[in-house]
Amino acid sequence: MKIDHLGIATKGIDEALKFWENALGLENIHTETVEDQKVRIAMLPIGESRIELLEPTSDDSPISKFLEKRGGGIHHIAVEVNDIEAALEQLRQNGMRLIDEKPRKGAEGCLVAFVHPGSTGGVLLELVQTQ
Ligand code: CO
């Protein structure tokens, strides 16, 4: 396993890139709108992992709610798994609370599923299976 990315909620990706790209020196290699999650994302590689900047595309986006409550910051940690169905089943068998019972389509054509912070000690965890 590895950390696929850290998801960071922002009010606007362009504004956030002034820090992550211009000032810190990372490079935004991929921007995409993920309709299913009502977010626009930017991916900036850092070592073998990435920073994922998230911007809401509507008022009822999960990121809008997060921004209202916390005003931005680390939103989730994403772990890459080989077999997301097997990972979900293992979590289920261990009595863990899942947000997504079934994998859904994430950025870059990946399959993703979120695990509830109530089962992880307060961290919203995203499982990612790259295609
Ligand atoms: Co993510």
Side-chain angles (χ1 to χ4, degrees):
M1 282 190 185
K2 68 166 194 174
I3 304 289
D4 183 78
H5 63 265
L6 301 176
I8 297 178
T10 72
K11 291 193 178 82
I13 285 173
D14 291 343
E15 185 67 22
L17 284 174
K18 287 181 188 167
F19 172 73
W20 294 99
E21 196 168 44
N22 300 358
L24 191 62
L26 301 182
E27 187 189 358
N28 175 20
I29 59 155
H30 180 73
T31 305
E32 178 182 345
T33 298
V34 185
E35 302 289 352
D36 189 47
Q37 293 169 35
K38 296 176 180 168
V39 293
R40 194 165 79 95
I41 61 127
M43 284 290 191
L44 296 83
I46 179 163
E48 66 167 8
S49 188
R50 284 93 56 81
I51 299 286
E52 177 186 62
L53 301 176
L54 301 145
E55 167 191 297
T57 55
S58 80
D59 288 342
D60 62 344
S61 166
I63 298 302
S64 295
K65 285 165 203 158
F66 183 88
L67 290 171
E68 267 169 38
K69 266 196 234 163
R70 311 224 205 145
I74 292 186
H75 179 259
H76 64 269
I77 293 177
V79 171
E80 185 188 306
V81 296
N82 290 328
D83 183 342
I84 195 166
E85 295 275 7
L88 285 172
E89 185 53 31
Q90 188 178 326
L91 288 165
R92 211 176 279 122
Q93 281 176 11
N94 280 276
M96 300 303 160
R97 192 169 157 198
L98 305 175
I99 292 173
D100 300 307
E101 292 292 335
K102 285 269 160 209
R104 52 193 174 125
K105 218 171 159 211
E108 302 169 305
C110 293
L111 290 174
V112 305
F114 283 90
V115 183
H116 197 278
S119 288
T120 65
V123 177
L124 178 59
L125 187 73
E126 178 183 7
L127 304 176
V128 181
Q129 179 187 320
T130 55
Q131 300 295 64

